[in-house]
Amino acid sequence: MRKIFLPIVLLLTIGVNAQEDSSEVIDYSKFGDAEGVKRYTTQKVLNQVPQRILSIGYEYHGGFALPGVPLGALLPAFQDFQVKQVSAIRAQANIPVISTNKIIWQLGANYWSSKYSIENSGSNEFTSRLNNRSMTSAGLNTTIFKPLNEKNFLIFQASADFNGVFNQFSELNGKAFTISGTAIYGWKKSEKNMIGVGLSRTYRAGQILHVPVLLWNKTFNDRWGMELLLPARGHLRYNFSTSNILQLGFELEGNQFMMNLPNSPNNTVFIQRGELKPRIIWDKKISGFIWLSAQAGLRYNWRFDVMNEYNGKTDIQRYFTSNLGNPLYFNISLNFVSP
C-alpha cells in the first residue's frame, strides 16, 4: 500500500508545482493597456437639435415693395413695384460617407428656388424676367469633422453653387458659379459645451465676404441651451423634451445670382441677395427619425444690389440698389434626421 501511495503523492506535488510555475510566466502586457487607448471628442453637445440628413420644405413670404428699378441702362427714370408674394421650394441632403470616432465626412446637396409674383411686371425688363423665371441656387457641399483628441477638433466645410434667375440651365454660364468655405479649430470643454473659432469665405450676405466665425454650442441644463455659428446664425434653445424643441434666434442667408438682362450695360447682371431672418423655430419628432420643423419670422432686407460685374462692390459697378420691404414669412419642412 505504501508503494502505491508514495507515487501518487509525488505526482500531485509535481502537478501543483507545475501550476504555480506556469502562473508566474504569464505576460499580461500582450493583452494591451486599457489606459493607453486614445479617445476622441464627438461633434455634438447634449440635447442639441438633431442634424438633418434629408429635408424638403416650402417657404412663403408676404407682400412687400420693390422700389427704384431703372427703366434701362441709360435712362434716368425709375419705377416702383409691389411684390405680391414669394414662394420657395427648399431641399437639402447630407449623407455620411465616413463616420468613425476618428473622422466624420459628409457629402451634401442643396436646392433653393424662389418664385416672385410681381404686380404689373411687364412694363420693366428686369421685373418681367424676375417675375417669369425662378431665382434658384443649387449646389454641392462637403463637411469634415476631425477630432484631434478628447478636447480638440477641426471642422472644414466647402460648397459650390450655381445661382441664377433662369428657366433652363442653358441660360447659365461660369459666372453663375460661387464657392464658399469655412475652417474652424475648436475645444470640447464637456459634453455640454463646445466652442470654436475660424475663418469663412461666404456669400450669405449676398456679397462675397471673408469674415471670422465663432462656433459655440452650449447646454445649460435639461431645458435651456444655445447653438451659435456667428455671424451666419444663432439660436437660443428650449427643450420641452429631447423630441420637442423650440428655438428663438436668427439666420443670415443669401447668395449672388446671375441674370441675363439685354438692356443692361453688359447684358448680364448679378443680384446680390442677402436676407436677415429673425425667427422662431419648432422642431417635433413625428416617428422614429422623421421630424417636422415649422418656423415663422421677419424677412429683413440685408442687401438687394444689382451689379454689372461678377463680385461687384463699387458704385461704378452698380446697376441699381433696391430697398426692399420687409415682410413676414413662414417655412415648413419634413426632415429625416441623424440618430
Side-chain angles (χ1 to χ4, degrees):
M1 186 71 176
R2 291 174 60 186
K3 293 180 179 180
I4 298 174
F5 181 73
L6 184 59
I8 292 174
V9 172
L10 291 173
L11 287 172
L12 290 175
T13 304
I14 293 171
V16 170
N17 290 334
Q19 289 179 0
E20 291 177 351
D21 292 340
S22 64
S23 66
E24 292 177 358
V25 298
I26 293 176
D27 183 8
Y28 289 101
S29 65
K30 68 181 180 180
F31 296 107
D33 183 3
E35 295 182 355
V37 175
K38 188 172 183 179
R39 296 179 176 87
Y40 296 94
T41 186
T42 60
Q43 63 174 338
K44 298 179 180 179
V45 297
L46 291 176
N47 297 337
Q48 187 173 335
V49 177
Q51 183 182 5
R52 298 177 182 182
I53 297 177
L54 298 172
S55 177
I56 179 72
Y58 172 79
E59 187 167 296
Y60 176 89
H61 297 200
F64 58 92
L66 173 61
V69 182
L71 290 175
L74 301 177
L75 298 175
F78 297 86
Q79 292 178 281
D80 295 338
F81 291 89
Q82 183 68 27
V83 179
K84 293 184 289 186
Q85 66 178 47
V86 177
S87 55
I89 299 296
R90 310 194 66 155
Q92 68 177 50
N94 292 289
I95 309 300
V97 178
I98 299 175
S99 183
T100 69
N101 63 335
K102 295 182 179 181
I103 189 170
I104 297 175
W105 175 31
Q106 292 182 329
L107 287 178
N110 60 275
Y111 178 82
W112 175 24
S113 182
S114 301
K115 180 66 177 176
Y116 286 71
S117 177
I118 305 174
E119 293 182 0
N120 303 316
S121 62
S123 60
N124 184 283
E125 185 69 22
F126 177 84
T127 55
S128 177
R129 285 178 173 264
L130 184 59
N131 187 70
N132 294 323
R133 293 165 172 78
S134 296
M135 182 179 286
T136 301
S137 178
L140 300 174
N141 60 78
T142 184
T143 303
I144 295 174
F145 177 83
K146 173 57 180 171
L148 302 176
N149 48 50
E150 290 185 82
K151 294 186 177 297
N152 302 103
F153 60 88
L154 296 170
I155 297 176
F156 300 101
Q157 186 275 334
S159 62
D161 302 284
F162 274 104
N163 317 283
V165 180
F166 61 93
N167 286 330
Q168 299 177 347
F169 279 102
S170 59
E171 298 181 46
L172 301 179
N173 57 45
K175 291 185 176 181
F177 192 62
T178 60
I179 296 177
S180 302
T182 302
I184 294 174
Y185 178 83
W187 300 262
K188 186 79 172 285
K189 301 292 187 179
S190 70
E191 291 303 311
K192 293 184 176 182
N193 188 18
M194 63 188 301
I195 187 169
V197 293
L199 186 66
S200 179
R201 168 191 166 97
T202 179
Y203 282 87
R204 278 183 173 267
Q207 190 178 88
I208 180 65
L209 295 173
H210 296 85
V211 294
V213 295
L214 170 66
L215 167 72
W216 193 2
N217 295 332
K218 183 174 176 62
T219 297
F220 301 107
N221 51 48
D222 290 340
R223 296 297 183 187
W224 292 97
M226 67 178 185
E227 299 178 23
L228 309 179
L229 184 59
L230 303 177
R233 59 180 176 270
H235 294 92
L236 181 66
R237 166 171 48 82
Y238 181 80
N239 294 72
F240 296 104
S241 67
T242 56
S243 59
N244 190 3
I245 303 172
L246 193 69
Q247 297 180 83
L248 177 65
F250 73 92
E251 182 166 11
L252 178 63
E253 62 180 0
N255 216 312
Q256 177 178 268
F257 299 82
M258 191 198 85
M259 175 195 279
N260 293 319
L261 190 65
N263 67 345
S264 64
N266 298 324
N267 295 321
T268 301
V269 295
F270 300 89
I271 304 172
Q272 297 179 348
R273 173 191 181 186
E275 301 175 347
L276 179 65
K277 292 178 174 177
R279 62 191 184 181
I280 186 169
I281 306 174
W282 177 54
D283 290 287
K284 179 73 169 67
K285 183 171 98 171
I286 299 176
S287 176
F289 298 119
I290 306 298
W291 284 56
L292 177 72
S293 179
Q295 60 176 273
L298 178 73
R299 195 280 289 138
Y300 176 79
N301 178 51
W302 187 274
R303 176 179 285 112
F304 197 87
D305 293 345
V306 183
M307 312 300 290
N308 294 313
E309 302 289 342
Y310 182 88
N311 283 348
K313 289 187 176 182
T314 64
D315 287 339
I316 198 171
Q317 298 171 316
R318 191 183 314 276
Y319 184 45
F320 75 94
T321 293
S322 183
N323 295 317
L324 304 184
N326 303 309
L328 298 176
Y329 86 96
F330 74 84
N331 178 302
I332 187 166
S333 66
L334 196 62
N335 312 291
F336 181 77
V337 305
S338 63

